[in-house]
Amino acid sequence: MDSDPALLADMLHHRTGSLPAGSPVALPLTPASTYALPGTIDAPFTYGRAGGPTWSALEEALGVLEQAETVVLPSGMAAISAVLLTHLTRGDRVLLPSDGYYATRRLAEQFLTPVGVEVVLRPTAEYAQQDLDGFTVVLVETPSNPALDLCDIAEVSARAHAAGALVVVDNTTLTPLGQRPLELGADVVVASDTKAPNGHSDALLGHVATRRPDVLERVRQWRTLAGGIPGQLETWLVHRGLETLELRFDRMCSSALVLAERLEEHPATRDVVHPGLPSHPQHELASRQMARAGSLIGFALPDAETAERFLERARRVVSATSFGGVHTSAERRARWGDAVPEGFVRLSVGCEPTEELWADLEQALRGLG
Ligand SMILES: Cc1ncc(COP(=O)(O)O)c(C=O)c1O
């Protein structure tokens, strides 16, 4: 499933067609909290908590890529919590990945379980075996972060819908260019645009995309009334980042595949995981469901100390959490409590020239393992 080139061009030109002569071609940053409002309140913008031109521009651009209406939120977690907290109430059941981004589980355990929502955790690769009867919301994260396991979005969506559940896909690891959950039958996409869509490690942001007007309305109301809103500068930065997403993501994914293949052959590493490798246990599903295999690679070194030595030695890999940025970065995920071996490294491949990166990884791995 490839991303449609027309959508990329439409996204880039989403506002240029209607520009009056003399307007800036770049999106203006509009830091307004209140808007002129004489007489009735029937105006496109009224007060900053309800909307503004910078948010609208980003929502439009993301909407072109998602082919759905979008709501921007101040972070990926704000997008996830907006959907979960507006669709779950006492007595409901939610299915979450036990191997997905840890903050989603923590959110559920700390704020949904205490109000009487039953939180069920299953590994992503076992969603296919999970009976979905009785669930209100099924949240899928594929590829899961950090172990990069997959599940079949179309198959889970069909079964979840038969059971009456809302299907939410966290599409952070792939972006709309790498995977299109709404086309595969999911109801809602949630994503952290802090990662590749912004891509420059200088802003947090998230979005919800859906073709369901009821979901859209609830999430918009939540944003306005709960009051956690994206900053104008962050929104503007992500709009700017999105304009080069395709170029960056292309380099990142192509490099990641090359590096994953070489890491797999390297004597110091073991258990190299990347959905583009034929050795990935769900490689066939990856080829069917994903347009790109993503920019993340997982691999194990013998122990925590060896992994830390690798991170210290690598000069073109910044030791940092998060992923999707122009700078290649890596970290030992066990330090956050993820259920991975102590020596497991998650590598986020950035935009450096591929051979420069490989030369650096090779020198950092020399003699380890
Ligand atoms: C898969 C996934 N979902 C959601 C998030 C949360 O995003 P944010 O940090 O923008 O809140 C992350 C962050 O790493 C993530 O990896």
Side-chain angles (χ1 to χ4, degrees), residues 12 26 28 36 63 70 78 83 116 154 169 172 197 199 201 241 252 258 274 284 295 301 312 337:
L12 269 173
T70 66
V83 174
V169 176
T172 299
S201 310
M252 290 154 64
V258 170
H274 177 70
E284 183 276 325
S295 60
L301 290 168
E312 268 166 39

Side-chain angles (χ1 to χ4, degrees), residues 11-30 53 57 60 239 243:
M11 181 273 288
L12 269 173
H13 286 279
H14 78 96
R15 49 182 289 286
T16 57
S18 56
L19 286 181
S23 309
V25 172
L27 174 70
L29 168 60
T30 311
E60 240 179 72
H239 184 274
E243 297 188 323

Side-chain angles (χ1 to χ4, degrees), residues 6-16 27 53-72 176-177 180 193 197 207 209 235-236 238-245:
L7 293 187
L8 296 163
D10 286 350
M11 181 273 288
L12 269 173
H13 286 279
H14 78 96
R15 49 182 289 286
T16 57
L27 174 70
T54 321
W55 289 4
S56 291
L58 179 58
E59 286 176 345
E60 240 179 72
L62 286 167
V64 173
L65 294 185
E66 296 282 12
Q67 289 291 283
E69 289 212 47
T70 66
V71 183
V72 291
L177 305 191
R180 309 193 55 76
D193 299 305
H207 76 269
T235 309
W236 184 87
V238 174
H239 184 274
R240 178 183 169 127
L242 206 58
E243 297 188 323
T244 54
L245 172 62

Side-chain angles (χ1 to χ4, degrees), residues 112-128:
L112 293 175
T113 306
V115 297
V117 175
E118 188 187 344
V119 177
V120 179
L121 302 175
R122 287 286 176 272
T124 299
E126 291 175 21
Y127 267 41

